[in-house]
Amino acid sequence: MKFVKSVIDADMASVDSVIRERLYSEVVLVRQVAEYIVASGGKRLRPMIVLLAAQALGYQGHKHHELAAVIEFIHTATLLHDDVVDESSLRRGRDTANALFGNAASVLVGDFLYSRAFQIMVGCGSMRVMEVLSDATNIIAEGEVLQLMNIGNTDIDEDGYLKVIRYKTAKLFEAAARLGAILTDSDAATEAAIAHYGMHLGTAFQIVDDVLDYSGKQEEIGKSLGDDLAEGKPTLPLIYVMKHGEAAAAAVVKDALENAKRENFDAVLAAVQQSGALDYARKTAEAEAERAKACLANLPDNPYTQCLHALATLAIDRNS
């Protein structure tokens, strides 16, 4: 990450300035909640992708800073809404906004961030940008509902799981990368390639997140271990156990999912570890990361493209 930061730090500082300026509201509670969640120490990976994709393709200008802030606002809005839906109390090692300010404030400030993101988009003056980002936010919402429908679903297969994360998580990565091509008026093939890079990167990132829920350390991943299990989410490690594990292990996982039992976490963890599910899920994530890198083959060879390669590696090799 040091290399990526050395290349992108000045641009990220500009994005932070845009974020601070655009977060302002005369309503004090809006400012408090929005600033709390935006300043909570996230990786800012999605806005990085906007910056790197645009500059890898030779962009000269400042609109990529505005659009990187848009992507961060959309992402932050989804986090606020997610934590309410999931009844989460910990994110990035801190109390969630809903735990501090209440569910109503979190939902409404999430709405503020969505609408502020669209105000910034309008200022960019591109119908194509608005089309991509409005489509993305719509698909993300569908992904959230798909995930909700799959709570406690022990019949879901790997394809069903991948559909959820490609809608819910990878779509914003895809949109962030596509914006770089739009800003540079790149041809259709280049736009498609870099958009597919974002989709595969986002998929790899989410799979690793799901692995870390059963292999990470709470102080590093910044949330309570077993949160996914407590919410009844059938993530890839659990799906693998149910489809390929021994009958007793599969039964433990199914019971824990159907009844959303955090108290069964140790038994589920043992089943996941003994079945080889974590290795399988990591290999699946690694394959997605390699597909992401392959999408960059025809991009110019410059430090920004090299950073995009590095992000695909970092998405896999992380503990948080």
Side-chain angles (χ1 to χ4, degrees):
M1 187 59 90
K2 286 183 180 179
F3 169 63
V4 175
K5 286 184 175 180
S6 70
V7 172
I8 209 75
D9 256 2
D11 284 301
M12 286 302 296
S14 296
V15 173
D16 286 344
S17 294
V18 174
I19 288 171
R20 285 195 298 273
E21 176 187 346
R22 297 294 192 146
L23 273 182
Y24 179 77
S25 168
E26 292 184 359
V27 180
V28 174
L29 184 59
V30 170
R31 291 202 307 270
Q32 288 177 328
V33 178
E35 288 172 4
Y36 178 82
I37 186 71
V38 168
S40 64
K43 300 176 184 66
R44 298 277 171 88
L45 186 55
R46 295 155 188 82
M48 277 186 193
I49 292 168
V50 178
L51 302 176
L52 292 171
Q55 291 176 278
L57 296 170
Y59 179 70
Q60 300 291 323
H62 302 287
K63 286 185 178 178
H64 61 325
H65 298 148
E66 298 277 330
L67 291 178
V70 166
I71 290 289
E72 184 66 7
F73 280 6
I74 292 172
H75 175 56
T76 303
T78 66
L79 297 186
L80 284 165
H81 290 170
D82 277 358
D83 286 341
V84 171
V85 171
D86 297 340
E87 300 179 4
S88 300
S89 60
L90 192 68
R91 181 180 287 278
R92 297 168 181 167
R94 306 170 77 203
D95 290 336
T96 54
N98 52 298
L100 282 179
F101 302 100
N103 287 341
S106 292
V107 170
L108 294 172
V109 173
D111 293 344
F112 166 83
L113 289 172
Y114 272 129
S115 58
R116 181 53 51 89
F118 276 85
Q119 287 178 324
I120 301 171
M121 279 181 236
V122 171
C124 289
S126 168
M127 284 300 296
R128 182 80 176 105
V129 165
M130 291 193 69
E131 178 188 9
V132 166
L133 290 172
S134 59
D135 285 350
T137 54
N138 192 258
I139 288 171
I140 291 165
E142 289 181 328
E144 295 283 2
V145 176
L146 274 176
Q147 180 172 267
L148 185 64
M149 290 169 62
N150 283 317
I151 293 296
N153 180 7
T154 57
D155 293 322
I156 189 172
D157 59 13
E158 188 171 329
D159 287 342
Y161 161 81
L162 288 173
K163 182 177 181 179
V164 170
I165 64 174
R166 284 184 174 141
Y167 276 39
K168 181 178 177 290
T169 301
K171 191 63 185 180
L172 193 58
F173 281 77
E174 177 189 320
R178 191 185 293 276
L179 291 176
I182 293 170
L183 284 173
T184 54
D185 294 319
S186 295
D187 58 63
T190 300
E191 181 181 323
I194 203 159
H196 282 122
Y197 162 84
M199 184 271 289
H200 289 301
L201 177 66
T203 303
F205 187 87
Q206 184 60 58
I207 294 171
V208 171
D209 258 13
D210 293 342
V211 168
L212 289 173
D213 202 50
Y214 296 94
S215 64
K217 296 179 180 178
Q218 182 168 314
E219 62 272 18
E220 291 179 348
I221 66 173
K223 66 174 187 176
S224 302
L225 292 178
D227 271 0
D228 290 344
L229 184 67
E231 294 156 16
K233 291 180 183 176
T235 56
L236 187 55
L238 302 185
I239 292 168
Y240 183 88
V241 176
M242 290 187 291
K243 303 299 180 187
H244 305 287
E246 294 181 359
V252 166
V253 171
K254 287 180 179 180
D255 178 61
L257 276 177
E258 288 172 346
N259 298 288
K261 291 181 179 178
R262 186 192 294 273
E263 59 266 30
N264 285 7
F265 180 70
D266 289 343
V268 171
L269 180 60
V272 166
Q273 291 175 337
Q274 291 165 13
S275 69
L278 295 179
D279 287 340
Y280 175 80
R282 277 203 171 273
K283 285 177 182 176
T284 303
E286 288 165 5
E288 289 289 334
E290 289 305 312
R291 291 185 189 106
K293 292 175 185 178
C295 292
L296 303 174
N298 294 322
L299 266 64
D301 184 12
N302 56 43
Y304 304 104
T305 304
Q306 292 164 18
C307 285
L308 291 172
H309 272 274
L311 288 182
T313 299
L314 290 166
I316 302 299
D317 298 336
R318 62 191 175 91
N319 298 314
S320 64

